[in-house]
Amino acid sequence: MNGDTAVRDVCLALPTNRFCVPAIAAVGEEAAWAAREFGVRVHLLILDSADATTRADHAKAVAELPVGPGVVVHHLDEERQRAFLRAAIDRARAEEPALTAGADHLLRLMLPDTVSYGACTNRAFLLAAALGCSSLHRRDSDSSYQWLHGEPVFPIHHELRSIGRRAADAAPGVTHHTLDPVHAEKPVALVGGSFVGELSVDIGEIRTLDPAVYEEVVGLWAPADHDAEQRRELVADSFVGNGTAPFTDDRAVLDLPDIWRIDMCNIALDREVYERVPLPPATDTIGSDYLLHHLVLHSALPGVTHNRNIVNHYTPERRGDAGFTAYQLRFTKFLLSMLYLYPVYDALERAGGSLLDADHHLRPEPVAEYARAAAGADRTENHRRLAVVDRAYRELGGRYAAFADHLVPLRARLLDEAQADIEAFALLVDAWAPLVRAARATPLGGPTAPGAGRSADHA
């Protein structure tokens, strides 16, 4: 942990499983800018699950970062992540005899052997706790920054102006203040923006091939009780971010957060959020890392929604056959996950302010309770979703029809996995407080690349 308590520590996290040298350079520049402009110590945390050759490219990019004072870079491959997690899990189980989850099971939830958007962010949460950070700022490896007047437009500008501050104190730092005064004493829990560029979900080709099929398939993620007009509205607003309009000037609104305009590649969360409730560790499921958006909104914690939108782009591996199949499978599992997530979201909305204690801290117990209750949902709707995907993809033909064939023998497994994912989330919520406490006491080791002049900044 850092001994200099006068300096605020924040974590700028970049999870990746693909080549992203340009993103490392760009996020490194954002880290240096934040340290320089705000006087904070930025822990640039690169969680690298790429193959060995790509990791070597990333390590070279890290070594070449022109970081200045106040930036500490941590480039962790999965071996280093696993060692940290194992130590933290063992410590948590030793200190909490009531923790019933097995060490190996917890480790699989935190570091599965396949893609998990929630798990990679949960690892960042625990590592941020170990580094003594007050907030976590997440970026993605398939995105970049907009530019204005020859300068990159960094979202961390709005994030550090507001995150964690009492809402009344954050008000002067935004352009629009519409928060109900009843929430003025609460901390700003979330700051975020959206994206411009390509769809956040790689299904634009379906819209080009057949707009009617696109509307039907995307409409599958709507709640089952939505009528046709509500589904059309959802489809029109899904995965498009803020379109393609370039950034021209700042707009930052202090209110309850507009979670439909906040993407996980452009977000900051206060430690009082992510140290209390994790994200669902669902595997091979896009959109599984958005639950905290709903939790912050429905508990009536303040947020700032800004327009420093990040640029979303697709990386080459999605274009090949293997990448196409993997991504369509993640999209299918996303559709199935809604059977379990919507009841949780509805329960959070009904609970409202009761999700907070007297000190405005989130209460994790109800979240675990709602997840467990949702796990018993009738699967009829998910059988229907799979049938619609099968028919619609066969209508599209080509590689979509081939994917439909690929999906047929997987159906039973996917139905089981969707239920198991929400059950795993409930278990992880139960274990989260002990894991966070253990992480704070678990050494991470020295940084990969201490910022110039800050060689003493070790985790």
Side-chain angles (χ1 to χ4, degrees):
M1 305 291 282
N2 294 300
D4 184 0
T5 57
V7 177
R8 176 184 173 194
D9 289 271
V10 302
C11 179
L12 180 56
L14 180 69
T16 185
N17 64 349
R18 57 167 71 93
F19 177 84
C20 66
V21 164
I24 290 172
V27 176
E29 188 176 349
E30 185 177 26
W33 184 89
R36 188 169 61 248
E37 295 295 319
F38 287 90
V40 296
R41 179 160 41 227
V42 182
H43 293 271
L44 175 52
L45 178 63
I46 302 166
L47 300 181
D48 199 339
S49 296
D51 60 75
T53 300
T54 303
R55 289 199 312 272
D57 291 334
H58 293 167
K60 185 174 183 291
V62 166
E64 294 173 351
L65 286 176
V67 294
V71 177
V72 188
V73 185
H74 309 269
H75 179 204
L76 276 63
D77 62 14
E78 286 201 348
E79 183 178 348
R80 285 190 67 190
Q81 294 176 52
R82 184 174 291 105
F84 167 80
L85 291 169
R86 173 63 76 180
I89 289 168
D90 289 346
R91 184 186 297 270
R93 286 172 49 80
E95 295 178 357
E96 293 285 340
L99 191 59
T100 57
D104 290 342
H105 186 45
L106 283 173
L107 186 59
R108 284 193 297 273
L109 295 183
M110 292 299 302
L111 187 58
D113 58 5
T114 188
V115 170
S116 172
Y117 300 94
C120 73
T121 311
N122 286 339
R123 297 198 295 276
F125 291 161
L126 288 189
L127 286 158
L131 293 167
C133 296
S134 62
S135 56
L136 182 128
H137 310 250
R138 186 184 138 164
R139 306 292 182 255
D140 276 357
S141 57
D142 55 355
S143 57
S144 57
Y145 301 104
Q146 295 193 76
W147 287 68
L148 182 68
H149 304 315
E151 299 290 336
V153 179
F154 292 132
I156 207 164
H157 165 81
H158 289 303
E159 294 170 349
L160 290 179
R161 286 168 75 94
S162 299
I163 195 69
R165 300 186 70 188
R166 178 172 159 266
D169 296 330
V174 298
T175 62
H176 296 75
H177 176 199
T178 54
L179 184 70
D180 189 320
V182 73
H183 304 304
E185 297 302 312
K186 297 176 182 177
V188 175
L190 182 158
V191 180
S194 189
F195 64 92
V196 294
E198 300 186 83
L199 297 180
S200 61
V201 177
D202 193 0
I203 53 175
E205 185 183 51
I206 299 177
R207 186 169 58 181
T208 301
L209 290 170
D210 192 325
V213 168
Y214 177 85
E215 183 169 316
E216 183 177 27
V217 171
V218 175
L220 290 174
W221 87 277
D225 59 357
H226 266 25
D227 60 29
E229 180 57 29
Q230 288 174 309
R231 287 178 184 271
R232 279 193 292 270
E233 291 176 357
L234 180 71
V235 171
D237 205 32
S238 292
F239 316 129
V240 297
N242 270 0
T244 58
F247 176 86
T248 57
D249 57 354
D250 277 304
R251 177 179 174 83
V253 181
L254 174 63
D255 202 333
L256 301 185
D258 182 358
I259 63 173
W260 302 107
R261 290 292 175 265
I262 296 176
D263 193 85
M264 278 301 289
C265 70
N266 191 355
I267 194 169
L269 290 162
D270 183 54
R271 72 186 308 167
E272 292 295 346
V273 175
Y274 63 80
E275 289 190 358
R276 294 181 181 274
V277 179
L279 289 165
T283 56
D284 294 314
T285 307
I286 64 168
S288 57
D289 48 351
Y290 282 78
L291 185 134
L292 294 181
H293 288 58
H294 296 265
L295 182 55
V296 168
L297 172 64
H298 295 318
S299 63
L301 283 170
V304 171
T305 309
H306 64 78
N307 68 337
R308 291 196 168 210
N309 300 311
I310 276 176
V311 181
N312 181 63
H313 58 82
Y314 297 152
T315 49
E317 81 278 355
R318 290 190 186 182
R319 301 307 190 191
D321 290 341
F324 171 83
T325 299
Y327 201 85
Q328 295 304 318
L329 185 64
R330 293 170 201 163
F331 177 63
T332 303
K333 283 200 66 180
F334 159 73
L335 299 175
L336 300 180
S337 73
M338 291 299 111
L339 178 69
Y340 304 102
L341 288 175
Y342 277 128
V344 175
Y345 298 160
D346 291 344
L348 294 175
E349 186 173 12
R350 289 192 300 270
S354 69
L355 294 165
L356 303 179
D357 64 20
D359 296 318
H360 311 309
H361 294 149
L362 288 165
R363 298 172 51 241
E365 296 82 8
V367 182
E369 175 189 333
Y370 303 150
R372 285 197 173 85
D378 184 284
R379 293 184 177 184
T380 301
E381 176 60 18
N382 270 357
H383 283 282
R384 185 188 75 84
R385 287 181 170 122
L386 286 175
V388 171
V389 168
D390 182 88
R391 174 180 51 77
Y393 277 41
R394 292 185 191 283
E395 288 178 17
L396 293 172
R399 60 180 182 170
Y400 292 92
F403 176 75
D405 288 338
H406 174 76
L407 203 57
V408 169
L410 303 180
R411 287 184 180 184
R413 192 195 85 193
L414 296 182
L415 291 167
D416 289 343
E417 285 181 1
Q419 179 177 342
D421 286 339
I422 199 70
E423 293 169 340
F425 174 56
L427 184 151
L428 191 59
V429 175
D430 289 341
W432 196 244
L435 283 174
V436 169
R437 287 195 297 271
R440 290 182 189 141
T442 301
L444 177 58
T448 302
R454 304 289 293 185
S455 59
D457 291 347
H458 290 271

